Amino acid sequence: MMSLVAYAPASIGNVSVGFDVLGAALAPIDGTLVGDRVYIAATEGEFTLASSGRFAHKLPDDYRENIIYDCYLSYAKALKKRGLTIKSLLMELEKNLPIGSGLGSSAASIVAGLEALNAFHNNVLDDNEMVLLMGELEGQLSGSVHYDNVAPCARGGLQLMLEANGVVSQSIPCFDEWYWVVAYPGTSISTAAAREILPTEYSRADCLTYGRNLAGFIHACYSKQQDLAAAMLKDVIAEPYRAQLIPKFDEVRDYAKELGALATGISGSGPTVFNVMTDLAQAEKLQTWLEANFIQNGDGFCHICKLDKQGARIVGTTL
Ligand code: HSE
């Protein structure tokens, strides 16, 4: 194939109960693709990297500072280790996700970039090698390796990070009837800064609550107990410290609860918030309210989503 386009969805890191170890990929129910796309094509010339899309103006001017360029270099290195050479190619990043939104924006670029490169080279790297490479690149950007965005973005659905026996993550069953109402206010928070404000140590009580909530949530997902799962969606690790960075976070939670939301939380390191709902009419009501009261500027948006079970994929040959 002479050209192809890879798509990688937005994701919710942490999902409240699993700091750095749980993540979910998102698919808006109206069919919009909320994620980044990367176009790759054969060329006889030098490597070039262009950018387009709603948030392209937030990317560095020099393409060598673009994460897709790092994907290209890392992928070339991985091929070289196997005695292979990267093809002559050009790339374009369609940057649709806002940077510093808590929606796994850097992960979506990395995943789409590497998926495009791997598909272009007949999938030389296997799925596990790919996720490891994605995590490594994400770590370069955020200062620490955590897979809770790249794994769901690449593999889809709800992913639990395991990092044992060579397994990075595995899929956890979730509730098909859940709507995830996700609102990005239009401002940005750097993941590194949002990690900086967290305590370096936690009390025994918090450790016990964290373990109970995470184990309880996973148990409830497997035993199909929706209300129990929702009751476990509580964050004692990040939300108590990060909520102050998100204006109106408490108001969102209160209003969502009035409308019957099962849970409200911070997506990744914020400022995006998510709300779990089961009634579509109420979810739409919350969406209207969030658009009027939570979104602060023209960059913001709100989507009613289900989980994206597919994760990253090849979606065509042209942008
Ligand atoms: N789990 C990480 C954090 C990344 O909350 O800092 C979120 O995208």
Side-chain angles (χ1 to χ4, degrees):
M1 203 183 286
M2 294 300 283
S3 71
L4 58 88
V5 176
Y7 169 74
S11 54
I12 296 175
N14 305 331
V15 198
S16 295
V17 266
F19 186 76
D20 278 0
V21 300
L22 199 62
L26 294 170
I29 58 168
D30 63 7
T32 324
L33 291 181
V34 61
D36 287 351
R37 296 199 298 168
V38 168
Y39 170 74
I40 190 165
T43 175
E44 283 171 12
E46 299 274 289
F47 171 81
T48 57
L49 171 58
S51 51
S52 57
R54 183 170 171 191
F55 293 100
H57 63 287
K58 303 268 168 124
L59 296 170
D61 291 333
D62 183 348
Y63 79 87
R64 284 164 301 193
E65 287 170 27
N66 189 309
I67 188 70
I68 296 297
Y69 186 58
D70 295 307
C71 291
Y72 171 77
L73 295 178
S74 299
Y75 193 79
K77 207 164 136 192
L79 288 184
K80 204 171 168 192
K81 269 196 207 156
R82 287 163 179 76
L84 302 167
T85 312
I86 197 156
K87 292 181 185 170
S88 262
L89 55 89
L90 55 83
M91 298 177 85
E92 179 172 335
L93 167 63
E94 186 188 74
K95 189 68 205 154
N96 301 316
L97 287 179
I99 295 158
S101 57
L103 282 167
S105 168
S106 56
S109 294
I110 291 166
V111 171
L114 285 174
E115 289 286 346
L117 283 159
N118 205 34
F120 205 66
H121 293 83
N122 301 319
N123 297 309
V124 171
L125 300 196
D126 68 28
D127 174 63
N128 216 45
E129 291 170 314
M130 285 285 282
V131 175
L132 286 170
L133 193 53
M134 290 161 181
E136 203 179 288
L137 285 163
E138 171 87 314
Q140 275 177 30
L141 275 190
S142 69
S144 63
V145 178
H146 45 84
Y147 295 94
D148 55 327
N149 288 117
V150 291
C153 180
R155 295 174 166 173
L158 182 65
Q159 294 284 326
L160 178 67
M161 308 316 126
L162 298 163
E163 296 179 59
N165 290 355
V167 178
V168 176
S169 79
Q170 281 181 359
S171 224
I172 301 296
C174 201
F175 301 92
D176 287 340
E177 57 271 50
W178 281 8
Y179 294 104
W180 300 73
V181 184
V182 174
Y184 166 60
T187 52
S188 85
I189 291 178
S190 102
T191 299
R195 292 178 84 81
E196 202 56 39
I197 63 163
L198 300 180
T200 50
E201 290 176 1
Y202 288 86
S203 69
R204 182 187 301 176
D206 282 346
C207 295
L208 297 178
T209 306
Y210 174 76
R212 185 164 42 80
N213 286 347
L214 180 56
F217 177 73
I218 301 296
H219 162 72
C221 285
Y222 273 100
S223 54
K224 299 188 170 41
Q225 302 180 72
Q226 185 185 175
D227 291 339
L228 183 63
M232 292 301 186
L233 278 177
K234 296 208 173 77
D235 178 1
V236 291
I237 301 293
E239 191 187 295
Y241 310 95
R242 289 176 173 172
Q244 55 174 329
L245 304 175
I246 305 172
K248 297 195 183 167
F249 179 73
D250 290 336
E251 270 179 65
V252 173
R253 167 166 284 156
D254 291 346
Y255 187 63
K257 202 169 174 190
E258 258 180 55
L259 293 180
L262 299 179
T264 293
I266 300 173
S267 179
S269 50
T272 294
V273 296
F274 71 87
N275 302 275
V276 176
M277 319 261 310
T278 48
D279 183 309
L280 182 56
Q282 296 296 81
E284 284 166 349
K285 204 166 166 189
L286 180 59
Q287 180 184 34
T288 306
W289 186 89
L290 288 164
E291 282 167 354
N293 295 283
F294 182 65
I295 291 174
Q296 294 178 27
N297 58 47
D299 283 344
F301 52 77
C302 181
H303 289 292
I304 301 176
C305 303
K306 290 264 172 145
L307 295 190
D308 184 324
K309 292 193 178 168
Q310 267 183 287
R313 53 205 179 256
I314 304 304
V315 288
T317 54
T318 52
L319 270 182

